[in-house]
Amino acid sequence: MDALLDEFDINIIKELEKDGRMAYSAIATALKISNTMVHQRINRLIEQGIIIGIKPIINEKKIGFDWASFTGITLNKDQDSDRIIAELKNIPEITECYYVTGSFTLYIKIVARDHEHMRKILYEKIDNIPGISKTDSIIELGCAFKRNVSL
């Protein structure tokens, strides 16, 4: 366990995981601590970069994005990764991007409305970025689970 987190921090985070909109006063009541302590702890966790945001989690399928892929990207030169990542950020259907080891330089997640939309993203947007030599995609069939690391 990271020395930066104590029992109060962990319990506050667990409460926020249940409902990120939970009022600080409700967290304080649930944990039997002061509202001020909750406020100070959450601010510190944000300042330290432990909590990087509290935002809605969108179910892409409910808003018409029925297709998703995990796509490995091979670059002509790994030194071009910063420029290529900047261009990938301009494609709104790319929701995640990771540096990886192995056959690829980058690994991304793409969401699309249907197979034709996915094809256009891959062939008309990503493949036209200079410096990308190839992509290799795996189609996602559904998410079994997604969670934060257990505290």
Side-chain angles (χ1 to χ4, degrees):
M1 188 67 58
D2 196 318
L4 295 173
L5 298 177
D6 65 15
E7 184 179 336
F8 292 111
D9 296 328
I10 291 167
N11 289 331
I12 289 167
I13 291 169
K14 285 181 178 180
E15 289 298 314
L16 287 172
E17 284 182 320
K18 291 178 195 173
D19 180 1
R21 299 173 301 167
M22 183 179 277
Y24 290 174
S25 58
I27 296 171
T29 300
L31 300 179
K32 298 178 176 44
I33 57 178
S34 75
N35 190 28
T36 302
M37 182 178 186
V38 172
H39 187 75
Q40 290 172 341
R41 293 292 183 118
I42 290 173
N43 284 344
R44 182 177 52 78
L45 292 167
I46 290 169
E47 286 170 13
Q48 292 176 335
I50 294 169
I51 294 177
I52 57 173
I54 299 172
K55 57 189 173 187
I57 299 169
I58 297 171
N59 180 341
E60 290 110 354
K61 293 189 184 326
K62 293 274 187 184
I63 60 169
F65 289 83
D66 289 330
W67 278 61
S69 78
F70 297 98
T71 300
I73 299 176
T74 305
L75 306 183
N76 292 330
K77 291 189 243 165
D78 287 351
Q79 301 92 308
D80 290 341
S81 62
D82 289 343
R83 177 187 54 77
I84 291 168
I85 289 167
E87 293 193 49
L88 292 170
K89 280 183 182 177
N90 291 326
I91 302 171
E93 296 90 349
I94 298 175
T95 60
E96 300 175 46
C97 180
Y98 299 93
Y99 297 103
V100 294
T101 61
S103 304
F104 307 112
T105 305
L106 302 171
Y107 212 67
I108 61 174
K109 182 174 181 188
I110 304 168
V111 295
R113 290 183 297 279
D114 52 38
H115 74 277
E116 181 62 19
H117 185 205
M118 181 66 74
R119 187 194 64 73
K120 285 182 177 183
I121 296 164
L122 286 166
Y123 296 160
E124 296 174 15
K125 293 182 179 182
I126 295 172
D127 283 353
N128 284 328
I129 297 173
I132 292 180
S133 67
K134 84 172 205 165
T135 61
D136 189 2
S137 295
I138 300 168
I139 299 300
E140 178 234 312
L141 298 176
C143 180
F145 69 88
K146 185 175 181 179
R147 63 181 175 202
N148 287 327
V149 65
S150 183
L151 298 176

